[in-house]
Amino acid sequence: MDDAELQILKQRAPGLAALYTTAHDAILRAADAAALEQARVSTLGRKSALTELLRSIPTLPPEDRPLLGKGGNTVRRELEALVEEREAELKREALSASLAHERLDVTLPGQPFPAGHEHLISQTMREVEDIFIGLGYRIAEGPEVELDYYNFTALNTPPSHPARSAHDTFWVVEQRETMPEAVMDADRGVLLRTHTSPVQVRVMEQQRPPVYVVCLGKVYRRDSDATHTPMFHQVEGLVVDEGITLADLKGTVHHFTEQFFGGERAIRVRPHFFPFTEPSIEVDVSCELCEGKGCRSCKHSGWLEIMGAGMVDPAVYDFVGYDPEKVSGFAFGMGVERMAMLKHGIPDLRLFYDNDVRFLRQF
Ligand code: DAH
C-alpha cells in the first residue's frame, strides 16, 4: 500500500487504517524469528483485531460492507506479504552475522606443533657424512641382512678363520661350524652384518677405481653390557686409486679428526690386525680432558682409540677383480656411538637407547 492509498483508507475507514499502521510497525520492528512470529499471531492470528473485523462484516450495515471487506482483505494480504519479507530479511541478517562471527582468519599463526629433532646418533652420522662429502667422497649403502660371503669370506675371512669368532654374529641362516669344510657352503649363510665393511666389497664389485666412498649404518652383534649394545652404528671408508699410501690414510684421518672435534688434535697410529687390511692399524686421538697427561676417561694413557684401519689387503682385490699391481687403497671403520661419546663427553653408551627425552633434548 503506498502513501496515497493509505491516505484514502484513513479518510474512508480510519479504524482499519490505524490497525494497519500499528500492525505494519509491529512486523517491521520484530528483531528475530520469535518476535516476528509473535507479531504475526497478534496482527493476523485468529484472535487479532483484523480477523475479528473481517469476521464481523456480515453484521455491518450493507453500505459499509464493500469498503471494509475489500479494504480488510487488502490489508491482510499486505501484512502477510510483509511478514514474509521480514522473515527473509531476518534470515539474511542471521546468516551474515554468523558468517562474520565464524569467519576464519587463515593468516593467523596455527597451533604450535611440538617438533622433535634428530637423534644424536643421526646428527653425528650427518656430520661425518658432511666432512667426507667435503673431501669428494660418495655415500654408499648396503643391506643390514647380509650374506656371509660379503660380511666375512670376501673380506679375506674364510670359514675357518679365527677372526670370525670375535664377531658374536646373529645368524639368520646359520652356516654350521661343525660341518667339514668341504661340505660347508659358507657363502649361503645369512646374518645381520657385524660391521659395515661388507659394503666395501659390494662397492668394488660395482665400480672400477678410483673409489672414494663412506658408508654409515647399523650393525649387530650378540653383545650387551655397559659398553656394548646389540645394535650400534659404524662409519666405513674406502679409497682405491693409483699410488695410495698409508700417508694418505693418516692425512685423511687427521683432517677428519680436526673437522669432527673442532680444533687441532694429535693422532697416533698403532699396529694391529684385521683380515682385510695389510698392514692394519688402530688410530688414537689425544685425550682432550687431560690434554694427553692421562686421566680416568683415557685410562691414564693420554689417548683415545677411535678407529681401525689399514691398507686394503690384495687378497680382497682378488674377490672383486681389481689388479693390486695397478691400484692400492686404504679402508677405515669407526663406531658412531663412540665418536658421539668422545665429542660430547657422554659417560654411558646405554643413554643413547634409553630414549629418555631429558637426555636426548640436550643435543
Ligand atoms: N670392520 C672392523 C670392525 O668392525 C673395523 C674396521 C677396521 C674397518 C679396519 C675397516 C678397516 O675398514 O680397514 O671391527
Side-chain angles (χ1 to χ4, degrees):
M1 200 175 308
D2 60 26
D3 282 354
E5 288 168 323
L6 189 58
Q7 282 310 318
I8 296 169
L9 190 65
K10 273 186 180 159
Q11 282 163 14
R12 300 235 198 120
L16 185 56
L19 200 149
Y20 172 79
T21 21
T22 320
H24 186 272
D25 287 355
I27 290 164
L28 288 189
R29 247 187 290 120
D32 56 32
L36 181 62
E37 178 58 13
Q38 225 176 1
R40 190 190 64 76
V41 171
S42 67
T43 56
L44 290 160
R46 272 183 292 128
K47 288 178 191 155
S48 66
L50 180 62
T51 306
E52 258 162 35
L53 179 111
L54 289 169
R55 219 183 271 142
S56 71
I57 284 173
T59 66
L60 296 176
E63 63 275 21
D64 291 343
R65 286 181 207 166
L67 175 69
L68 285 176
K70 203 163 158 260
N73 275 319
T74 310
V75 165
R76 190 178 63 188
R77 270 198 309 279
E78 295 243 344
L79 291 179
E80 278 168 356
L82 196 65
V83 168
E84 266 174 44
E85 246 172 66
R86 182 67 187 143
E87 196 180 350
E89 197 173 270
L90 283 174
K91 275 192 185 150
R92 272 197 307 277
E93 279 171 15
L95 180 66
S96 55
S98 80
L99 283 180
H101 174 68
E102 290 162 18
R103 185 178 53 199
L104 262 185
D105 185 347
V106 294
T107 65
L108 283 175
Q111 297 259 352
F113 185 82
H117 67 272
E118 277 191 320
H119 192 279
L120 179 57
I121 292 300
S122 305
Q123 289 180 42
T124 307
M125 292 204 288
R126 299 291 88 84
E127 272 174 51
V128 174
E129 246 174 45
D130 282 353
I131 294 170
F132 284 101
I133 286 173
L135 288 171
Y137 285 54
R138 180 173 71 78
I139 307 297
E141 283 182 357
E144 287 169 28
V145 179
E146 184 56 285
L147 292 171
D148 177 301
Y149 175 79
Y150 290 105
N151 196 81
F152 290 124
T153 308
L155 286 165
N156 197 29
T157 319
S160 57
H161 200 290
R164 281 184 176 231
S165 53
H167 273 218
D168 295 309
T169 310
F170 282 111
W171 290 96
V172 178
V173 178
E174 192 159 5
Q175 54 111 345
R176 274 162 272 166
E177 305 269 355
T178 51
M179 283 177 166
E181 199 166 320
V183 187
M184 195 152 51
D185 188 357
D187 297 355
R188 288 223 205 110
V190 179
L191 43 74
L192 299 188
R193 67 179 181 194
T194 59
H195 52 174
T196 41
S197 303
V199 181
Q200 290 185 27
V201 182
R202 291 183 171 276
V203 166
M204 288 190 281
E205 271 184 353
Q206 267 162 28
Q207 76 169 90
R208 304 272 93 200
V211 173
Y212 290 83
V213 294
V214 275
C215 162
L216 304 91
K218 291 184 170 63
V219 301
Y220 303 85
R221 290 187 198 181
R222 267 174 44 198
D223 228 351
S224 191
D225 57 39
T227 51
H228 299 87
T229 48
M231 183 280 301
F232 60 105
H233 298 76
Q234 285 191 339
V235 183
E236 188 79 19
L238 174 70
V239 167
V240 185
D241 206 343
E242 286 174 20
I244 298 292
T245 70
L246 198 63
D248 297 307
L249 170 57
K250 269 187 85 175
T252 305
V253 173
H254 193 228
H255 174 80
F256 168 75
T257 53
E258 252 181 45
Q259 297 277 306
F260 184 80
F261 293 109
E264 177 71 35
R265 298 284 286 268
I267 61 167
R268 152 178 111 160
V269 162
R270 285 178 287 108
H272 200 75
F273 171 79
F274 297 105
F276 38 91
T277 43
E278 184 60 38
S280 302
I281 57 172
E282 272 191 335
V283 182
D284 299 338
V285 62
S286 64
C287 179
E288 202 179 34
L289 283 178
C290 60
E291 290 173 336
K293 290 190 200 79
C295 63
R296 264 184 62 191
S297 83
C298 61
K299 294 189 188 127
H300 306 285
S301 71
W303 298 96
L304 300 158
E305 183 215 316
I306 54 160
M307 68 167 73
M311 301 307 290
V312 179
D313 193 312
V316 175
Y317 295 139
D318 277 350
F319 285 94
V320 296
Y322 279 16
D323 182 356
E325 297 298 324
K326 292 207 178 107
V327 292
S328 56
F330 63 75
F332 58 85
M334 55 192 157
V336 178
E337 282 78 358
R338 185 164 171 77
M339 299 300 286
M341 286 168 83
L342 291 179
K343 179 163 177 169
H344 300 283
I346 295 162
D348 191 330
L349 173 74
R350 289 169 294 194
L351 285 166
F352 288 123
Y353 301 113
D354 285 346
N355 281 339
D356 185 334
V357 288
R358 289 170 303 180
F359 170 73
L360 297 173
R361 277 206 193 109
Q362 296 177 46
F363 306 98

Coordinates of all heavy atoms in Angstrom, one line a residue, residues 216-246:
L216 N 77.6 -45.4 6.1 CA 77.2 -45.2 7.5 C 76.0 -46.0 7.8 O 75.1 -46.0 7.0 CB 76.9 -43.8 7.8 CG 78.0 -42.7 7.5 CD1 77.9 -42.2 6.1 CD2 78.0 -41.6 8.6
G217 N 75.9 -46.8 8.9 CA 74.7 -47.5 9.2 C 74.8 -48.4 10.4 O 75.8 -48.4 11.1
K218 N 73.7 -49.2 10.5 CA 73.6 -50.0 11.7 C 74.3 -51.4 11.5 O 74.3 -51.9 10.4 CB 72.1 -50.4 11.9 CG 71.2 -49.2 12.3 CD 69.8 -49.7 12.6 CE 69.0 -48.6 13.2 NZ 68.8 -47.4 12.4
V219 N 74.9 -51.8 12.6 CA 75.5 -53.2 12.6 C 75.0 -53.9 13.9 O 74.5 -53.2 14.8 CB 77.0 -53.1 12.5 CG1 77.5 -52.3 11.3 CG2 77.6 -52.4 13.8
Y220 N 75.2 -55.2 13.9 CA 74.6 -56.0 15.0 C 75.6 -57.0 15.5 O 76.3 -57.7 14.8 CB 73.4 -56.8 14.5 CG 72.3 -55.8 13.9 CD1 72.4 -55.4 12.6 CD2 71.3 -55.4 14.7 CE1 71.5 -54.6 12.0 CE2 70.3 -54.5 14.1 CZ 70.4 -54.1 12.8 OH 69.5 -53.3 12.3
R221 N 75.7 -57.1 16.9 CA 76.5 -58.2 17.5 C 75.8 -58.7 18.7 O 75.1 -57.9 19.5 CB 77.9 -57.7 17.8 CG 78.7 -57.4 16.6 CD 80.1 -57.0 16.9 NE 80.7 -56.4 15.7 CZ 82.0 -56.0 15.7 NH1 82.8 -56.1 16.7 NH2 82.4 -55.4 14.6
R222 N 75.9 -60.0 19.0 CA 75.3 -60.6 20.2 C 76.1 -60.3 21.4 O 76.9 -61.1 21.9 CB 75.3 -62.1 20.0 CG 74.0 -62.6 19.4 CD 74.0 -64.1 19.1 NE 74.6 -64.9 20.2 CZ 75.1 -66.1 20.0 NH1 75.1 -66.7 18.9 NH2 75.6 -66.7 21.1
D223 N 75.8 -59.1 21.9 CA 76.7 -58.5 22.9 C 75.8 -57.5 23.6 O 75.2 -56.6 23.0 CB 77.8 -57.7 22.2 CG 79.1 -58.1 22.8 OD1 79.2 -58.7 23.8 OD2 80.1 -57.7 22.1
S224 N 75.8 -57.5 25.0 CA 75.0 -56.5 25.7 C 75.6 -56.3 27.1 O 75.4 -57.1 27.9 CB 73.6 -56.9 25.7 OG 72.8 -55.8 26.2
D225 N 76.3 -55.2 27.3 CA 76.7 -54.8 28.7 C 76.9 -53.3 28.7 O 76.5 -52.6 27.8 CB 78.0 -55.6 29.0 CG 79.1 -55.4 28.1 OD1 79.3 -54.3 27.6 OD2 79.8 -56.4 27.8
A226 N 77.6 -52.8 29.7 CA 77.8 -51.4 29.9 C 78.4 -50.7 28.6 O 78.2 -49.5 28.4 CB 78.6 -51.1 31.1
T227 N 79.2 -51.4 27.9 CA 80.0 -50.8 26.8 C 79.6 -51.4 25.4 O 80.1 -51.0 24.4 CB 81.5 -50.9 27.0 OG1 81.8 -52.3 27.3 CG2 82.0 -50.1 28.1
H228 N 78.6 -52.3 25.4 CA 78.1 -52.9 24.1 C 76.6 -52.9 24.1 O 76.0 -53.3 25.1 CB 78.7 -54.3 24.0 CG 80.1 -54.4 24.0 ND1 80.9 -54.5 25.1 CD2 81.0 -54.3 22.9 CE1 82.2 -54.5 24.8 NE2 82.3 -54.4 23.5
T229 N 76.0 -52.6 22.9 CA 74.6 -52.8 22.7 C 74.5 -53.7 21.5 O 75.4 -53.7 20.6 CB 73.9 -51.4 22.4 OG1 74.6 -50.7 21.4 CG2 73.8 -50.6 23.6
P230 N 73.4 -54.5 21.4 CA 73.3 -55.5 20.3 C 73.2 -54.8 18.9 O 73.5 -55.4 17.9 CB 72.1 -56.3 20.6 CG 71.5 -55.8 21.9 CD 72.4 -54.7 22.4
M231 N 72.8 -53.6 18.9 CA 72.8 -52.8 17.7 C 73.6 -51.6 17.9 O 73.4 -50.9 18.9 CB 71.3 -52.5 17.3 CG 71.1 -51.8 16.0 SD 71.4 -50.0 16.0 CE 70.3 -49.4 17.3
F232 N 74.4 -51.2 17.0 CA 75.2 -50.0 17.1 C 75.5 -49.5 15.7 O 75.0 -50.0 14.7 CB 76.4 -50.1 18.0 CG 77.5 -51.1 17.5 CD1 78.6 -50.6 16.9 CD2 77.3 -52.4 17.7 CE1 79.6 -51.6 16.5 CE2 78.2 -53.3 17.3 CZ 79.4 -52.9 16.7
H233 N 76.2 -48.4 15.5 CA 76.4 -47.8 14.2 C 77.9 -47.7 13.9 O 78.7 -47.4 14.8 CB 75.8 -46.4 14.2 CG 74.3 -46.4 14.3 ND1 73.7 -46.6 15.6 CD2 73.3 -46.3 13.5 CE1 72.4 -46.6 15.4 NE2 72.1 -46.4 14.2
Q234 N 78.2 -47.8 12.6 CA 79.6 -47.7 12.2 C 79.7 -46.8 11.0 O 78.7 -46.6 10.2 CB 80.2 -49.0 11.8 CG 80.5 -49.9 13.0 CD 81.4 -51.1 12.5 OE1 81.4 -51.5 11.4 NE2 82.1 -51.7 13.5
V235 N 80.9 -46.2 10.8 CA 81.2 -45.5 9.6 C 82.3 -46.3 8.9 O 83.3 -46.6 9.6 CB 81.7 -44.1 9.8 CG1 82.0 -43.3 8.5 CG2 80.8 -43.3 10.7
E236 N 82.2 -46.5 7.6 CA 83.2 -47.3 6.9 C 83.7 -46.3 5.8 O 82.9 -45.6 5.2 CB 82.5 -48.5 6.2 CG 83.5 -49.4 5.6 CD 84.1 -50.4 6.7 OE1 83.6 -50.5 7.8 OE2 85.2 -50.9 6.3
G237 N 85.0 -46.4 5.6 CA 85.5 -45.6 4.5 C 86.4 -46.5 3.6 O 87.0 -47.4 4.1
L238 N 86.4 -46.2 2.3 CA 87.2 -47.0 1.4 C 87.7 -46.1 0.3 O 86.9 -45.3 -0.4 CB 86.4 -48.1 0.7 CG 87.1 -48.9 -0.4 CD1 88.2 -49.8 0.2 CD2 86.1 -49.8 -1.1
V239 N 89.0 -46.1 0.1 CA 89.6 -45.4 -1.0 C 90.5 -46.4 -1.8 O 91.3 -47.1 -1.2 CB 90.5 -44.2 -0.5 CG1 91.4 -43.7 -1.6 CG2 89.7 -43.1 0.1
V240 N 90.3 -46.4 -3.1 CA 91.2 -47.2 -4.0 C 91.5 -46.4 -5.2 O 90.6 -45.9 -5.9 CB 90.5 -48.6 -4.5 CG1 91.6 -49.4 -5.3 CG2 90.0 -49.4 -3.3
D241 N 92.8 -46.2 -5.5 CA 93.2 -45.3 -6.6 C 94.6 -45.7 -6.9 O 95.2 -46.5 -6.2 CB 93.1 -43.9 -6.2 CG 92.9 -42.9 -7.4 OD1 93.1 -43.4 -8.5 OD2 92.4 -41.8 -7.2
E242 N 95.2 -45.0 -7.9 CA 96.6 -45.3 -8.2 C 97.5 -44.6 -7.2 O 97.2 -43.4 -6.8 CB 97.0 -44.8 -9.6 CG 96.4 -45.8 -10.6 CD 96.6 -45.3 -12.1 OE1 97.5 -44.4 -12.3 OE2 95.8 -45.7 -12.9
G243 N 98.5 -45.3 -6.6 CA 99.5 -44.6 -5.8 C 99.0 -44.2 -4.4 O 99.6 -43.3 -3.8
I244 N 98.0 -44.9 -3.8 CA 97.6 -44.5 -2.5 C 98.5 -45.2 -1.5 O 98.8 -46.4 -1.6 CB 96.1 -45.0 -2.3 CG1 95.2 -44.3 -3.3 CG2 95.7 -44.7 -0.8 CD1 95.0 -42.8 -3.0
T245 N 98.9 -44.4 -0.4 CA 99.8 -45.0 0.6 C 99.2 -44.7 2.0 O 98.2 -44.0 2.1 CB 101.2 -44.3 0.5 OG1 101.0 -43.0 1.0 CG2 101.7 -44.3 -0.9
L246 N 99.9 -45.3 3.0 CA 99.5 -45.1 4.4 C 99.5 -43.6 4.8 O 98.8 -43.2 5.7 CB 100.4 -45.9 5.3 CG 100.0 -46.2 6.7 CD1 98.7 -47.1 6.7 CD2 101.1 -46.9 7.5

